[in-house]
Amino acid sequence: MSESTQSRSVQQIEADIAAARQRLAGTVDELQHRTAPKEVLRRQVEALRRRLVDATYTPDGRLRTEPVAALAAVAVALVGLGVWRRTHN
């Protein structure tokens, strides 16, 4: 055994073990929080929201008309297709 190991008391070793156990419990709690389905969904929704804002606004906050117009055209086309399918069935 090394000199530093021999000079530590049982109480010091137990205190180190308790501290390590506390750190490990905190790490497990953090991992549990990060992997919870609601938290994963929240992060995905936030990332999607950020991508949508980045795609539709310039860095200085102005609306990008081309992507917005394209999204509106797609939405109108999908609604039109849905109406057409309902009336022709």
Side-chain angles (χ1 to χ4, degrees), residues 27-85:
T27 301
V28 169
D29 290 344
E30 177 65 22
L31 288 172
Q32 192 174 25
H33 172 72
R34 287 184 187 183
T35 59
K38 285 183 179 181
E39 180 61 20
V40 172
L41 178 62
R42 186 197 64 75
R43 285 193 315 264
Q44 292 298 321
V45 167
E46 182 59 33
L48 180 61
R49 184 175 293 132
R50 271 194 312 270
R51 287 189 358 224
L52 180 62
V53 167
D54 289 345
T56 56
Y57 288 92
T58 63
D60 62 354
R62 290 183 310 191
L63 186 63
R64 296 179 191 211
T65 55
E66 296 85 12
V68 172
L71 287 172
V74 168
V76 168
L78 289 174
V79 169
L81 181 62
V83 169
W84 181 80
R85 288 181 73 190

